Amino acid sequence: MKCQCLQAMTIVYGRCHEEIGSFNDTKYIIGMLERSTDKMERDRLLLFLQKLTLNRKNVKEMMDANGSRVLVDLLTLAHMHTSRATVPTQSNVIEASPDMWRESEKEWYYGNLEKERRGPFSLVEMKELYDGGTIHIKTRCWAQGLDGWRPLYTIPQLKWCLVASGAAVMNESDLATLILNMLIRICEYYPSRDADGAIVRPLPRAKRLLSEAHCLPHLVQLLLTFDPILVEKVATLLCLVMQDNPCISRLYLTGVFFFIMMYTGSNVLPLANFLKYTHMKQAFRVDDARSTDIMQQSILGHIMPDAMVCYLENYGAEKFAEIFLGEFDTPEAIWSGEMRRLMIEKIAAHLGEFSPRLHSNTRALYQYCPIPAVNYPQLEEELFCSIYYLRHLCDTQHFPNWPIKEPVKLLKDILDAWKQEVEKKPPTMSIDDAYKVLELKAAAGGYDENKIRKAYFRLAQKFHPDKNPDGRDMFEQVNKAYEFLCSKSSKTGAGPDPQNIVLILRSQSILFGRHKDELHPYKYAGYPMLIKTIRMETGDDALFSKPAALLPAATELAYHTVNCSALNAEELRREQGIEYLEEALSRCTAMLGAGSAPGDMVVQVCTHVTKCYAVAAQFEGCRGKILEKPAIVKELCRSLFFKHLTQLCTIAAECVSAFAVDHDLQTRMFEAGALYHLLLFLFNYDYTLDEGGVAKSSDTNQQAVANSLAKLSVWALSRLGGYLSDAHATPHNKSIQTAVEALLTPYLAKKLSDNEPEKLLKILNSNTENPYLIWDNATRAELAEYLEVEQTRKIRTGECDPSYGAVFVFSVHAKELIVGDVFVRIYNEQPSFIIERAKKFTIDLLEYLASQAQYLYSLLQLEKSGKVPDSSTRLRQVEMALEALRNIIQNNPETVPGRGVEIQCIGQFRLLFCLLRLNGCDRLQQHALEVIASVTKNLECVNDIAASKVLVYLLLLLNSLPVCQLTVIETLYALTSSTMIIKEAVQKGGLLYLLDLFCNSTNPQVREKTAELFAKMLADKLLGPRVRIILAKFLPGIFMDAMRDSPQTAAHMFDGTHENPELIWNESVRHKVMVTIKRMKHEFYNAQLENPDFLWNLSEEMEVIYAEVRGELMIGDVYLRILVSNPGWVLRKPKEFTSELLDKFIALCSSKQVDGETLEAVTQAIVSLFSAQRNLCDQVPGLGHIPLIFEAMACRNGTVSKAAILVTHQLANSESCIQTMAQVESIAPMKLAMKIRKDMIGLACETINKLFQKEQDELVLQAIKAEMVPYLLGLLDGALPDVENPAGTKAQIVKALKAMARSLKFGEQINAMLSKSTVWSQYKEQMHDLFISDTNTAGYLTGAPGMAGYLTQGNSRMPTAVPVAPPEP
């Protein structure tokens, strides 16, 4: 009934606790619980108390009634639960199964009636004694953990195991869980901090009660149940109790950290939270100088690895729990299930039999004893610093770029660790000394930890000051010995560990390599230790046989430090690091050989030291130190000798490049033979790999490494010789450049300045033949042989070519003419090849030709004597130079003013033209001529030639070198752009030479080009007329016009037979001209050959006259006789001829003594011309001859009048001429002429008809004034006996009168006149067109209009063949 009531109260209060409020009998309930011996009643009371904790006032009542202690006593029963379920865990090292039974520990004693102590007994035996009546509820019992002898019924474990009755509602674990939840709630009611975050003092009572010795240890020992729920609840409760608890520093004495770390479950987050809060706050003592600060302060330092403790402290509980349950093998965490099992095994072994004792005596108390440091095999070779395992951090293969969060802090920690390592001293106590203190005999394999612990406990109890006041010193020695054996110091050797120092050095290298920017501002503080390490290692006789080589790591660190900051480079110099590194380099390079491998220690040292020097060379102070040590450069070059060590050679090439910033260092390396090594690397380049598009890596492809080394060697050579500019510029070193030009040729040497190594290397490893380079297998082999020989000599004997390659000459190059670094022969074969510095090459060629001037002068003398050495080598070279000069000029024209190379020839034309005099040296003359021809496009050059007065040599060549006549003519054509040249050509007989070519040459093209040249000379404004006058002495003027219009036509004209108005030309005329010119040219050439200054003087009277043109009337270069017979001939200058012809007509008409025959011929020519080519009439008004013609018409001379009427009759066909006639007095002279020459009335009337048909009022007015109408009417009325066709004439008169009558202005007046005439009435109404003939009235006008040319009109006849040679003179 009581239990049912309690159950009901529990339900009611749980549901209505807020309405009910506090329970006034809470103390009574606690008392009932303490006195109860019924399990069901106990459980119901606990359930009811659990509900009562929902009200804070009830909690206070519970604490006043000593409820905390009662609850903790019941908690310990959890150790009695033997049917707990097995949870799958990572490590089952404590319990194998839930039902596994073992014999209980004998923990219990009891006192009989005689007050005798009996025991010890196990719990099972105590139960048997109770059941047998030997003991009863009032029997006084004791076990470890009780504060004295107590009656059996007051001991919770014995009461509930031996005396209690009834069926329990909950098992022991559920009971403990319920109590723990109650205690957690109670602690939550009383936080350790107030609302403002201030610590509450004194500690809240609830936590203070639980912190007491009779409660806290039992709470902690619940962890050994390994029940997941209980463990989690205990951890949560301990966190609440220990928050700001003054007792927290001694919490470790309860063994809580051992118990927690033994837990095998995975719900470790509450445990981690507890550890995070407490592990650094324990007041334990540690004597291990080898541990870090965190490890020394953390109670977990001897249990867990450094990284795990750091994770707990630095990253929090959650991250720690993640690592603790996982499998990690990184630079920041090395932890696994295997390591956890090992830790649990070590802790379990350390706790010994305590955990089983709790099954027999739940009140047993753990006596704390420090645990020996747990050594994990996985960490044997590790060195932990800051938050990293240095061995893993240095394992760049597995962890290539592991992030480092605080590089500066890590560097400081590593430097501290280094300092501690090098200052490490042997421990003050040895293992044997510790064994002796603990009274253990020295054993070969040592003792296990269990025996050491038991010996410690035995002696500690014996000499504890509380029991033995005189044993304090011995107690301290025992503690010290045990602590030593527990520490890591007992397991490590004495003095610095070389392996650790290697890790420290390599870790710093990684730091500086990855975090250069962050570390750049900081000066490196480890140089004293680093330099000391390098010095000691270098001087160690066993340097090359050590298992842990410090020198490679130390030299690598030296490189990284100076590469990081200029401050470090200066510090290294001040610490004499340059000198000590040189000693290390010298010792290691001496050990290099053909069998050395990249991974060898000596190779690594050489690599790192070389890299260090390469960086240090950036700073002037360091370069000064390097210069003071000549061996540095020597050893550097020695490293380049071992080409199979490609990585070392690569670094050495970079170092050469870095040293090249100083001129003195350049010279040192040059004299040490650096060129030999670097140049050989260039021939290992395979351009097909780079151009193939295949992915490649220097780790797997040896050719890729060779290609990279070749490129670096090009870079080093560029800097070594000072070829580069701008940011990469180095001092210009003439000696090195001279040697490089000799070894690589100037062309390839200049390529070093382009900073395009791929292009240069491709050329070097290909066969090439161009004007700059002759490069093939033979030249490569020849150079490689020379380099290998000199390289080997320098390394083995220290001697080599004194010029260091500066006088090296390729055998194939020795046979070539080289001018301005250009192979002249090749350039002549490849004239289109682009010359980089064309102007300089032009100057070089001209200088070369000038240098051969004396030889050429001698050659000229030999030529005069008839002894010309055609096969002379020097002559051939001069010829090649001239050919090259021609090619460079032709292929570099002056497309932009000032850009052409021909301008460089100015001032050298006297030399070039003099070469034309070397008769017998045809090729030389030809090439010199081609050079001259090439420059003639440049006006400045033409002017300089004109100023040089050397044209005579070019003219002489027309006769001395017939094969070049065409080139000479083309050259002259270009030169005649200058009037001075034309003048000189006229003076020096150029026209005579050209006339000879035009007339006597058998080459049609030469003749045509000559005609073209004549045309250009004739076009010159100043000298063209003079040239025309001279030519006219030999050729008719039409030839000059033909040359202007079509040189080809001119040549054909000369070869043909012509008789036309403008030319009378036949075989005899041609023969006479050809013979005359040939004779004159021959005489003049001989004279000029002897004296180039000889001038051509042609008399004014000189003229080639031939019989065919004698007696011909010629006006304006037109034969009038032939023109009359062929009036349709197309004249070359019709307007000019018309003007001259009319001028002649007016002159004849105006003459006092009229030459009737000539006037008739001229008149006939005019009539024939205007009749055949009426368009010419339109040009007459502009010439001003019409008024003069009518003046002549008014002359009383019948011959003149007739001629004037004939001319006017033709002009009347032109409207423009009629308009001009209207403006002058024309009708009256016409009337007068008709009266004088009655035979011409018919033609005159026809003319008048034409005039009036154009309806010109001015003419009508003139007719009225001249009384022309009555005169014409009189003619109508007469018989007209003198007129050939009277009817036709009268018809013309009628039409004229009718036209006059149509005048708008004077028509009425004319009609009035006509109406008065009786004659007019007979004619006015009829049409008289039938009387007018369409034919010319003048029947003697012959010839029809037609087209004519120079060769197609008149009596022209082409010869059957062009003569191949001039006729005999």
Side-chain angles (χ1 to χ4, degrees):
M1 181 63 70
K2 185 187 298 185
C3 291
Q4 290 179 351
C5 291
L6 287 170
Q7 186 177 6
M9 292 171 64
T10 302
I11 295 172
V12 171
Y13 197 83
R15 294 177 180 176
C16 306
H17 64 91
E18 293 182 356
E19 294 86 345
I20 297 173
S22 61
F23 185 71
N24 295 330
D25 294 326
T26 302
K27 293 183 180 180
Y28 176 74
I29 298 299
I30 292 297
M32 287 179 63
L33 179 61
E34 188 173 10
R35 294 188 299 272
S36 174
T37 58
D38 185 83
K39 295 181 180 179
M40 181 176 290
E41 179 183 347
R42 176 198 68 188
D43 293 347
R44 292 301 179 188
L45 287 169
L46 284 172
L47 291 170
F48 181 54
L49 284 171
Q50 192 262 343
K51 297 300 182 182
L52 290 178
T53 58
L54 293 174
N55 189 295
R56 186 168 179 173
K57 292 182 179 180
N58 297 336
V59 171
K60 185 176 183 302
E61 293 294 329
M62 289 174 60
M63 290 189 295
D64 291 342
N66 202 21
S68 298
R69 182 168 183 175
V70 172
L71 293 176
V72 171
D73 286 342
L74 291 173
L75 271 176
T76 60
L77 296 179
H79 296 294
M80 303 301 297
H81 188 200
T82 58
S83 60
R84 188 176 294 116
T86 302
V87 178
T89 61
Q90 288 184 330
S91 177
N92 284 325
V93 296
I94 301 300
E95 47 189 358
S97 65
D99 55 352
M100 184 177 181
W101 181 89
R102 59 170 292 171
E103 185 179 357
S104 300
E105 295 288 340
K106 295 182 178 183
E107 294 280 335
W108 293 100
Y109 295 86
Y110 72 90
N112 58 12
L113 297 175
E114 291 79 14
K115 295 184 178 180
E116 296 177 348
R117 187 179 72 174
R118 297 292 179 92
F121 299 101
S122 66
L123 183 61
V124 175
E125 290 173 339
M126 291 292 287
K127 185 173 180 59
E128 292 174 353
L129 291 173
Y130 180 80
D131 293 339
T134 304
I135 57 176
H136 49 82
I137 59 174
K138 293 185 178 180
T139 302
R140 299 175 68 83
C141 299
W142 181 89
Q144 192 264 340
L146 296 176
D147 50 0
W149 291 87
R150 294 170 58 184
L152 184 147
Y153 73 92
T154 62
I155 301 174
Q157 181 181 6
L158 295 180
K159 180 174 71 170
W160 296 110
C161 290
L162 304 181
V163 179
S165 61
V169 178
M170 301 176 288
N171 60 36
E172 291 85 351
S173 296
D174 294 339
L175 179 71
T177 302
L178 180 67
I179 295 172
L180 287 171
N181 286 333
M182 292 170 60
L183 294 175
I184 290 171
R185 182 178 293 171
I186 291 170
C187 290
E188 289 175 345
Y189 282 141
Y190 300 98
S192 300
R193 300 197 176 206
D194 60 18
D196 296 329
I199 298 175
V200 176
R201 285 290 183 266
L203 189 69
R205 185 182 176 194
K207 297 182 179 180
R208 188 168 66 249
L209 292 173
L210 293 176
S211 300
E212 293 178 352
H214 62 272
C215 290
L216 185 60
H218 300 297
L219 288 173
V220 169
Q221 289 170 183
L222 281 177
L223 295 167
L224 293 177
T225 63
F226 301 109
D227 184 282
I229 298 177
L230 293 181
V231 170
E232 188 171 341
K233 297 295 183 181
V234 170
T236 303
L237 178 61
L238 288 175
C239 282
L240 292 171
V241 172
M242 288 296 112
Q243 185 180 11
D244 299 320
N245 195 321
C247 300
I248 192 173
S249 61
R250 297 183 63 80
L251 179 62
Y252 74 97
L253 296 174
T254 64
V256 62
F257 297 101
F258 296 152
F259 306 154
I260 285 179
M261 301 313 297
M262 281 183 66
Y263 179 59
T264 59
S266 298
N267 55 329
V268 297
L269 186 57
L271 301 178
N273 286 323
F274 170 76
L275 293 174
K276 174 68 172 71
Y277 186 74
T278 59
H279 80 107
M280 297 290 286
K281 299 176 180 179
Q282 304 307 303
F284 70 101
R285 187 181 73 174
V286 63
D287 185 16
D288 189 359
R290 292 165 176 78
S291 299
T292 61
D293 291 341
I294 292 180
M295 297 299 287
Q296 290 181 10
Q297 297 174 27
S298 174
I299 190 65
L300 302 176
H302 278 197
I303 301 175
M304 299 187 70
D306 304 50
M308 295 300 293
V309 178
C310 289
Y311 259 100
L312 178 62
E313 180 62 22
N314 298 326
Y315 297 99
E318 292 185 0
K319 188 66 177 178
F320 170 78
E322 177 188 349
I323 302 294
F324 188 75
L325 297 177
E327 300 280 340
F328 290 87
D329 188 20
T330 71
E332 292 189 53
I334 299 177
W335 185 253
S336 63
E338 183 181 352
M339 296 174 71
R340 186 179 179 189
R341 284 190 292 272
L342 175 63
M343 177 187 70
I344 293 174
E345 288 174 359
K346 292 292 184 181
I347 296 174
H350 180 67
L351 295 180
E353 302 297 328
F354 177 71
S355 182
R357 285 175 58 198
L358 290 174
H359 293 282
S360 179
N361 176 16
T362 59
R363 299 287 296 184
L365 293 176
Y366 173 70
Q367 293 182 354
Y368 176 79
C369 179
I371 187 172
V374 179
N375 292 305
Y376 297 93
Q378 293 86 346
L379 304 178
E380 285 184 358
E381 297 181 359
E382 279 292 356
L383 175 64
F384 189 80
C385 184
S386 185
I387 59 172
Y388 301 96
Y389 287 109
L390 298 188
R391 184 175 66 86
H392 270 37
L393 187 65
C394 296
D395 187 359
T396 54
Q397 183 175 0
H398 293 92
F399 310 102
N401 291 295
W402 189 264
I404 298 174
K405 299 175 180 63
E406 298 182 27
V408 177
K409 181 179 181 302
L410 177 58
L411 178 59
K412 293 174 66 176
D413 293 341
I414 291 176
L415 289 174
D416 292 340
W418 190 6
K419 184 176 181 181
Q420 293 176 11
E421 188 69 35
V422 297
E423 293 177 355
K424 188 187 296 183
K425 296 179 181 179
T428 56
M429 179 180 289
S430 66
I431 295 178
D432 292 340
D433 293 339
Y435 284 163
K436 184 176 181 180
V437 172
L438 295 178
E439 298 180 356
L440 294 172
K441 294 182 180 179
Y447 293 94
D448 60 24
E449 296 174 358
N450 190 33
K451 291 183 179 180
I452 295 174
R453 185 175 61 257
K454 288 181 178 180
Y456 166 69
F457 273 122
R458 177 174 56 79
L459 293 176
Q461 291 177 352
K462 178 179 178 181
F463 296 106
H464 196 281
D466 293 343
K467 297 181 180 180
N468 186 354
D470 298 330
R472 176 175 296 276
D473 293 339
M474 190 61 188
F475 179 75
E476 291 181 356
Q477 290 184 25
V478 169
N479 276 336
K480 185 176 181 181
Y482 181 69
E483 289 178 357
F484 170 73
L485 292 175
C486 290
S487 68
K488 296 179 180 179
S489 300
S490 63
K491 300 176 177 62
T492 58
D497 185 350
Q499 293 290 355
N500 287 347
I501 296 178
V502 170
L503 292 178
I504 288 170
L505 294 170
R506 293 184 60 199
S507 299
Q508 293 181 79
S509 296
I510 291 174
L511 263 178
F512 280 104
R514 296 181 188 173
H515 298 277
K516 180 179 179 179
D517 295 338
E518 292 92 331
L519 298 175
H520 175 74
Y522 299 93
K523 182 184 292 187
Y524 181 59
Y527 275 127
M529 292 184 290
L530 178 61
I531 300 303
K532 182 179 179 181
T533 301
I534 294 173
R535 178 170 53 83
M536 293 177 64
E537 287 293 300
T538 303
D540 193 345
D541 294 337
L543 172 63
F544 305 113
S545 60
K546 287 185 175 183
L550 299 181
L551 192 56
T555 52
E556 182 181 11
L557 177 57
Y559 156 68
H560 283 292
T561 56
V562 297
N563 189 44
C564 177
S565 171
L567 298 174
N568 292 337
E570 292 300 316
E571 188 67 18
L572 179 71
R573 178 185 61 81
R574 283 191 288 269
E575 293 289 339
Q576 297 183 330
I578 301 294
E579 293 87 337
Y580 290 123
L581 287 172
E582 182 269 327
E583 294 177 4
L585 179 65
S586 297
R587 184 165 184 191
C588 290
T589 51
M591 300 301 296
L592 292 174
S596 299
D600 292 352
M601 187 265 282
V602 293
V603 177
Q604 294 179 23
V605 172
C606 292
T607 300
H608 298 322
V609 174
T610 304
K611 290 169 69 176
C612 184
Y613 281 143
V615 177
Q618 301 175 25
F619 310 104
E620 186 175 358
C622 295
R623 291 198 298 270
K625 285 291 184 181
I626 294 172
L627 281 171
E628 294 175 5
K629 291 287 184 178
I632 294 176
V633 172
K634 177 183 176 183
E635 301 303 337
L636 172 63
C637 294
R638 178 177 175 82
S639 299
L640 290 167
F641 177 71
F642 302 97
K643 57 185 177 182
H644 66 288
L645 302 174
T646 52
Q647 183 63 26
L648 175 59
C649 292
T650 298
I651 301 302
E654 292 176 348
C655 187
V656 170
S657 176
F659 280 9
V661 298
D662 185 271
H663 187 276
D664 293 337
L665 283 175
Q666 287 177 339
T667 304
R668 288 272 183 89
M669 291 186 288
F670 176 55
E671 294 173 351
L675 288 186
Y676 304 141
H677 308 289
L678 295 173
L679 288 172
L680 280 172
F681 292 136
L682 307 186
F683 301 117
N684 297 326
Y685 180 78
D686 180 5
Y687 65 87
T688 61
L689 180 63
D690 286 346
E691 296 178 357
V694 180
K696 53 188 177 297
S697 170
S698 55
D699 296 331
T700 57
N701 192 317
Q702 291 299 316
Q703 186 57 53
V705 177
N707 282 8
S708 176
L709 178 55
K711 294 175 187 177
L712 281 173
S713 299
V714 171
W715 176 255
L717 287 168
S718 301
R719 289 176 59 84
L720 194 61
Y723 287 96
L724 301 176
S725 58
D726 299 331
H728 307 299
T730 54
H732 177 82
N733 196 306
K734 183 61 178 177
S735 299
I736 296 176
Q737 289 191 3
T738 302
V740 172
E741 289 175 1
L743 295 171
L744 282 185
T745 73
Y747 173 71
L748 293 177
K750 290 175 184 176
K751 291 288 184 184
L752 292 171
S753 61
D754 295 341
N755 198 14
E756 294 181 346
E758 294 84 359
K759 292 184 179 179
L760 173 59
L761 290 168
K762 183 176 181 179
I763 296 173
L764 274 171
N765 292 278
S766 305
N767 289 351
T768 304
E769 186 173 272
N770 63 49
Y772 282 118
L773 183 65
I774 299 176
W775 198 259
D776 53 23
N777 296 337
T779 55
R780 272 193 299 276
E782 184 178 2
L783 177 59
E785 180 182 3
Y786 169 80
L787 294 174
E788 289 172 356
V789 169
E790 297 302 321
Q791 179 192 58
T792 305
R793 284 180 59 200
K794 187 66 178 177
I795 294 298
R796 294 179 179 176
T797 66
E799 298 179 354
C800 64
D801 179 3
S803 70
Y804 303 101
V807 298
F808 177 81
V809 179
F810 291 96
S811 56
V812 68
H813 295 175
K815 304 174 184 178
E816 296 286 341
L817 172 61
I818 303 174
V819 177
D821 301 333
V822 176
F823 295 99
V824 177
R825 176 184 63 83
I826 304 299
Y827 178 64
N828 290 335
E829 293 174 359
Q830 304 174 17
S832 60
F833 186 89
I834 298 176
I835 300 298
E836 295 175 356
R837 300 174 64 187
K839 289 188 177 181
K840 181 181 182 304
F841 180 50
T842 305
I843 295 172
D844 292 338
L845 286 171
L846 291 169
E847 290 178 351
Y848 172 77
L849 291 173
S851 68
Q852 301 298 312
Q854 183 61 41
Y855 167 72
L856 296 174
Y857 176 77
S858 301
L859 191 66
L860 180 61
Q861 301 303 316
L862 292 173
E863 184 267 334
K864 290 183 177 180
S865 64
K867 300 177 181 179
V868 180
D870 293 333
S871 60
S872 170
T873 303
R874 292 184 66 180
L875 179 60
R876 300 283 295 177
Q877 290 180 345
V878 173
E879 292 172 355
M880 287 192 293
L882 285 168
E883 185 180 359
L885 184 58
R886 175 206 65 190
N887 292 333
I888 193 67
I889 294 173
Q890 290 180 351
N891 289 282
N892 294 272
E894 189 180 16
T895 55
V896 178
R899 296 287 179 87
V901 300
E902 63 272 10
I903 200 73
Q904 309 302 323
C905 295
I906 293 178
Q908 304 292 334
F909 288 116
R910 185 167 294 277
L911 169 65
L912 295 174
F913 274 81
C914 284
L915 296 177
L916 301 177
R917 297 185 61 189
L918 296 175
N919 295 332
C921 303
D922 293 355
R923 288 193 62 198
L924 187 146
Q925 287 179 301
Q926 182 177 352
H927 293 319
L929 173 62
E930 290 168 350
V931 171
I932 295 169
S934 301
V935 305
T936 54
K937 296 178 182 179
N938 187 292
L939 183 58
E940 294 183 41
C941 293
V942 172
N943 293 335
D944 191 62
I945 292 173
S948 300
K949 302 294 183 181
V950 290
L951 187 66
V952 61
Y953 303 118
L954 187 62
L955 298 175
L956 289 171
L957 206 62
L958 288 169
N959 190 76
S960 61
L961 196 63
V963 294
C964 293
Q965 287 176 346
L966 192 60
T967 305
V968 174
I969 295 170
E970 292 174 348
T971 304
L972 287 170
Y973 185 87
L975 290 174
T976 50
S977 300
S978 170
T979 302
M980 293 179 63
I981 293 289
I982 299 177
K983 181 179 180 181
E984 186 178 1
V986 172
Q987 293 175 345
K988 295 300 178 68
L991 297 179
L992 182 59
Y993 289 115
L994 294 174
L995 280 169
D996 180 60
L997 292 179
F998 180 75
C999 298
N1000 296 310
S1001 175
T1002 59
N1003 187 335
Q1005 191 175 4
V1006 170
R1007 297 176 65 204
E1008 292 172 9
K1009 290 294 182 179
T1010 304
E1012 188 176 351
L1013 175 57
F1014 276 140
K1016 186 175 182 181
M1017 297 172 73
L1018 289 167
D1020 187 79
K1021 294 181 180 180
L1022 294 178
L1023 294 175
R1026 183 181 177 188
V1027 172
R1028 188 179 188 90
I1029 292 172
I1030 295 174
L1031 293 181
K1033 294 179 179 295
F1034 298 92
L1035 297 172
I1038 191 173
F1039 279 101
M1040 278 71 89
D1041 295 332
M1043 291 173 183
R1044 177 197 62 198
D1045 298 336
S1046 172
Q1048 184 178 10
T1049 300
H1052 284 299
M1053 284 176 59
F1054 185 86
D1055 295 332
T1057 299
H1058 310 280
E1059 185 172 327
N1060 58 57
E1062 294 182 289
L1063 179 64
I1064 298 176
W1065 191 260
N1066 53 33
E1067 182 65 30
S1068 66
V1069 175
R1070 182 169 48 253
H1071 177 73
K1072 184 175 182 180
V1073 172
M1074 293 171 61
V1075 170
T1076 302
I1077 292 175
K1078 185 175 183 181
R1079 175 180 53 76
M1080 294 177 65
K1081 185 268 302 182
H1082 182 71
E1083 294 173 355
F1084 180 75
Y1085 172 75
N1086 291 330
Q1088 197 170 54
L1089 189 63
E1090 293 294 327
N1091 180 15
D1093 295 329
F1094 187 76
L1095 301 179
W1096 186 41
N1097 294 317
L1098 188 65
S1099 64
E1100 296 293 335
E1101 295 78 16
M1102 190 276 168
E1103 184 176 4
V1104 180
I1105 302 175
Y1106 35 91
E1108 285 75 3
V1109 297
R1110 288 191 176 95
E1112 288 284 349
L1113 179 58
M1114 190 175 187
I1115 297 176
D1117 293 334
V1118 176
Y1119 300 102
L1120 298 187
R1121 177 182 62 80
I1122 302 176
L1123 177 64
V1124 170
S1125 63
N1126 189 8
W1129 177 264
V1130 179
L1131 299 169
R1132 292 177 292 114
K1133 301 176 182 179
K1135 185 176 181 180
E1136 291 80 353
F1137 172 69
T1138 302
S1139 179
E1140 290 188 28
L1141 186 61
L1142 291 173
D1143 287 343
K1144 183 67 173 177
F1145 174 79
I1146 297 301
L1148 289 171
C1149 292
S1150 303
S1151 176
K1152 293 179 179 182
Q1153 299 294 327
V1154 177
D1155 186 350
E1157 184 179 355
T1158 303
L1159 178 59
E1160 183 179 358
V1162 171
T1163 302
Q1164 189 177 8
I1166 293 174
V1167 171
S1168 300
L1169 179 65
F1170 286 166
S1171 176
Q1173 303 182 41
R1174 291 187 176 183
N1175 60 313
L1176 294 177
C1177 295
D1178 295 334
Q1179 299 180 11
V1180 174
L1183 300 176
H1185 291 90
I1186 290 178
L1188 300 176
I1189 292 173
F1190 283 103
E1191 289 180 6
M1193 189 181 292
C1195 179
R1196 297 290 180 177
N1197 190 317
T1199 303
V1200 175
S1201 298
K1202 178 182 178 180
I1205 291 173
L1206 290 171
V1207 173
T1208 304
H1209 177 262
Q1210 295 300 323
L1211 294 177
N1213 293 319
S1214 170
E1215 186 175 354
S1216 59
C1217 289
I1218 293 173
Q1219 291 175 356
T1220 304
M1221 293 176 188
Q1223 304 302 320
V1224 300
E1225 188 67 30
S1226 56
I1227 300 301
M1230 182 69 71
K1231 179 182 176 183
L1232 180 60
M1234 292 169 65
K1235 290 180 178 180
I1236 297 173
R1237 293 297 299 258
K1238 294 184 181 296
D1239 58 332
M1240 299 302 295
I1241 290 176
L1243 192 62
C1245 289
E1246 185 179 346
T1247 303
I1248 292 172
N1249 181 28
K1250 293 179 182 178
L1251 293 177
F1252 290 122
Q1253 290 297 327
K1254 300 303 181 180
E1255 298 180 358
Q1256 295 287 334
D1257 290 339
E1258 291 81 359
L1259 289 174
V1260 177
L1261 179 60
Q1262 289 187 38
I1264 294 172
K1265 292 179 178 182
E1267 298 179 352
M1268 178 61 79
V1269 174
Y1271 177 72
L1272 292 177
L1273 289 173
L1275 292 176
L1276 280 177
D1277 192 30
L1280 301 177
D1282 299 324
V1283 177
E1284 183 179 351
N1285 184 10
T1289 302
K1290 290 182 178 182
Q1292 296 287 353
I1293 293 172
V1294 171
K1295 291 189 69 175
L1297 291 172
K1298 287 181 178 181
M1300 293 168 63
R1302 289 195 298 269
S1303 172
L1304 295 177
K1305 190 173 182 181
F1306 304 105
E1308 293 180 0
Q1309 190 175 353
I1310 298 298
N1311 285 323
M1313 293 179 184
L1314 294 175
S1315 62
K1316 294 177 181 181
S1317 173
T1318 58
V1319 179
W1320 178 246
S1321 60
Q1322 300 175 14
Y1323 293 93
K1324 67 177 181 179
E1325 300 298 338
Q1326 295 179 344
M1327 301 292 292
H1328 300 82
D1329 293 346
L1330 296 177
F1331 293 95
I1332 300 176
S1333 176
D1334 292 333
T1335 60
N1336 289 316
T1337 303
Y1340 54 79
L1341 298 177
T1342 59
M1347 296 299 294
Y1350 294 121
L1351 305 177
T1352 59
Q1353 189 78 4
N1355 186 19
S1356 298
R1357 178 174 57 84
M1358 290 292 294
T1360 57
V1362 178
V1364 297
E1368 292 296 330

